[in-house]
Amino acid sequence: MVEQNSHNGSGTITILHDQAKDMNRLLKRTLLAACLLYVPFSPNAAPVEWGTFGNWSVAVEPDRNFGCYVALRSKGDTILHFGMDLATEFPRFYLLLRNEKWKSLEDEKVYPLLFTFDSKVPLEVDAIASVSETLQDLSVGKMGGKFMLEAQKSTQLRVTYAEKEVANFQLEGATQAVYEMRACQDETEKMLRKSAEDAKQQDPFAKTP
């Protein structure tokens, strides 16, 4: 009887845990839907948050045609952005590094960087600077897909330039962050499709095919 009670107790805990996860997901969907209703279709619209998971945050970026991304901050306040860019002709992953202290970056200049995941062989990548009054970014062109794979297998990413450290990221929780980014994208696309369908004006006089 004791074993049976113990088993039932474990089952109850599992059910409650699953219910809590469902409620959390429903809450995120509700908040996302409410936010998207008021997001202007403007390239300057602010990101819409999906959630925070450990050190990672997940959000929707209107200026990338509502693509979702994950973001991670290093101790030196460098922010890593990785996500889906749906504003291009062919949707793609993108990866960029951002730090407002990088005042010496030259717009459109190429900076050769080294990406080192744990103790693996460093990867040579070219980053293109994008500089404005408010942003100092380094965009890493073809690294997006590679980053997604390596980040989920690694615990640390060290970025260097000319033998100087640019940033050091702790990647714990990357797998969950990528999962949530995909969930965010799926839910966002569903909501946008529904919004577009609801906006269509139906002609009651149109002939039925």
Side-chain angles (χ1 to χ4, degrees), residues 172-183:
E172 181 180 358
T175 299
Q176 183 189 8
V178 170
Y179 171 84
E180 291 292 345
M181 181 187 75
R182 292 185 179 278

Side-chain angles (χ1 to χ4, degrees), residues 95-131:
L95 176 67
L96 64 83
L97 303 175
R98 173 175 295 164
N99 194 319
E100 62 181 14
K101 300 173 185 175
W102 295 344
K103 303 297 185 182
S104 63
L105 287 182
E106 299 177 34
D107 194 41
E108 298 187 357
K109 180 178 177 178
V110 176
Y111 293 82
L113 305 178
L114 288 180
F115 276 40
T116 304
F117 291 92
D118 293 339
S119 57
K120 298 176 183 177
V121 176
L123 301 173
E124 298 180 3
V125 299
D126 287 335
I128 301 176
S130 178
V131 179

Side-chain angles (χ1 to χ4, degrees), residues 181-192:
M181 181 187 75
R182 292 185 179 278
C184 168
Q185 194 64 61
D186 289 343
E187 197 61 34
T188 299
E189 290 177 3
K190 288 179 185 177
M191 291 179 181
L192 292 175

